[in-house]
Amino acid sequence: MTRALQERGEEIADRWVELQMEQALLDTDIGEAELREEADALIEALVPGLHSGVPMDRVVTSTPGLHEAVVGLSLRRARAGATPTATSLAVLALKEALLKAVQRDTRDAEELFASAVFMNRLLDVAGALSFETYVEGREEIIRRQSQQLMEQSTPVVRLWRQVLAVPLIGTLDTARTQVVMENLLQAIQDHEALVAIVDITGVPTVDTAVAQHLMQTVNAVRLMGADCVISGVRPSIAQTIAQLGIDLSTILTRGTLADALAAAIKLIDGPGPDGDEGDGR
């Protein structure tokens, strides 16, 4: 098998690429040139792996170059949108290409059988590693995309001089509360804001957990030296909060964002000489 890899490496790589394309193991835009680069890298890494002297079922995981080649292949497939099954089957397709190259050097049944068993043990581990790496890679991609979506869905808007607003839409859970806090507190520092409006018009329901998340946000804003106003308190939400016995009496609340902005301007400018709001300049 080592001799076949050394003497027929290009032939094995070509056949492996052909098998992947013939068997429709890819449902991505990965081209033939990229497949050939992957094949060359993996086949080149196989030879030192076979000479490493470690048990066969540990060659793939213990040989740095070979391990990196399999992991790199799997991560590229994950980013390209291939399925984990297709990714592992693509690795396993190398068995047929290798066995065909070995058959060019020997027709001895016992040698071919031994080579087949050898390749199965070697590449089954590679297939399992590629599947595991793919799943972990996709999970990381999903986590990053989820984080990006949360950040984009919780923008901090400057409504007025020293007045910021965070319009919340959807459920407010622990992870999202953390993102809201981080973005809002950073914006308070950047804009030297004195009032932050948290608008919950787009939050469908407010239960005990959501109320606690709101309280955490309010407390964090106050620690930054700013006041916090919650807007968008609809009659149904007010009734739910009252029924749950949630105490929001220490927080300034308003029914609409416009009312909250008016209250924020008053907090900044203070009442006019006749007790009216300031001009907001």
Side-chain angles (χ1 to χ4, degrees):
M1 181 171 170
T2 302
R3 185 171 65 252
L5 286 167
Q6 292 174 328
E7 297 177 357
R8 307 182 188 278
E10 291 188 5
E11 176 185 325
I12 294 170
D14 288 338
R15 181 55 183 158
W16 187 26
V17 171
E18 289 177 5
L19 287 170
Q20 292 181 76
M21 301 184 71
E22 289 174 3
Q23 298 174 13
L25 295 177
L26 295 172
D27 189 17
T28 68
D29 57 356
I30 296 178
E32 184 175 350
E34 188 172 353
L35 290 177
R36 180 56 193 261
E37 289 180 6
E38 291 178 346
D40 290 338
L42 187 56
I43 290 171
E44 182 179 352
L46 272 172
V47 176
L50 296 178
H51 286 296
S52 63
V54 301
M56 190 49 49
D57 54 357
R58 291 170 49 195
V59 168
V60 175
T61 56
S62 300
T63 308
L66 184 54
H67 183 272
E68 291 173 7
V70 175
V71 168
L73 180 152
S74 303
L75 291 177
R76 282 190 295 274
R77 303 295 174 92
R79 287 191 289 267
T83 66
T85 300
T87 301
S88 59
L89 287 176
V91 174
L92 296 177
L94 179 57
K95 293 180 182 181
E96 182 177 336
L98 276 171
L99 189 58
K100 184 176 181 180
V102 171
Q103 285 178 320
R104 299 282 295 273
D105 294 326
T106 180
R107 292 292 179 177
D108 184 273
E110 291 186 2
E111 288 186 0
L112 289 175
F113 178 76
S115 296
V117 171
F118 185 87
M119 282 184 282
N120 280 331
R121 293 177 60 189
L122 176 69
L123 294 179
D124 283 350
V125 175
L129 175 61
S130 69
F131 190 95
E132 179 182 352
T133 302
Y134 176 101
V135 172
E136 292 176 352
R138 288 297 296 175
E139 288 178 349
E140 178 59 28
I141 292 171
I142 291 170
R143 281 194 295 269
R144 288 201 304 266
Q145 291 175 340
S146 178
Q147 179 71 14
Q148 292 170 356
L149 286 173
M150 281 197 297
E151 292 177 354
Q152 293 172 1
S153 64
T154 54
V156 180
V157 183
R158 184 175 182 270
L159 295 181
W160 199 264
R161 176 178 55 87
Q162 296 180 310
V163 179
L164 302 176
V166 181
L168 298 179
I169 300 175
T171 303
L172 187 64
D173 56 17
T174 302
R176 196 169 180 212
T177 299
Q178 185 64 32
V179 173
V180 170
M181 279 192 198
E182 292 175 358
N183 292 348
L184 181 55
L185 298 182
Q186 185 61 50
I188 289 173
Q189 180 178 353
D190 294 342
H191 296 282
E192 299 180 350
L194 296 178
V195 181
I197 300 173
V198 179
D199 184 70
I200 61 172
T201 303
V203 177
T205 58
V206 174
D207 54 17
T208 304
V210 172
Q212 289 175 346
H213 293 318
L214 289 174
M215 289 296 295
Q216 291 173 3
T217 303
V218 171
N219 291 335
V221 169
R222 287 174 173 170
L223 287 173
M224 291 289 292
D227 289 312
C228 192
V229 182
I230 296 180
S231 65
V233 181
R234 305 183 299 277
S236 59
I237 289 181
Q239 184 177 3
T240 300
I241 292 175
Q243 291 174 345
L244 292 174
I246 300 171
D247 184 14
L248 298 181
S249 60
T250 60
I251 304 174
L252 184 59
T253 61
R254 290 293 185 268
T256 66
L257 183 58
D259 291 339
L261 178 58
I265 295 173
K266 185 174 181 179
L267 287 171
I268 293 174
D269 294 339
D274 299 326
D276 297 330
E277 298 173 4
D279 59 12
R281 290 198 299 258

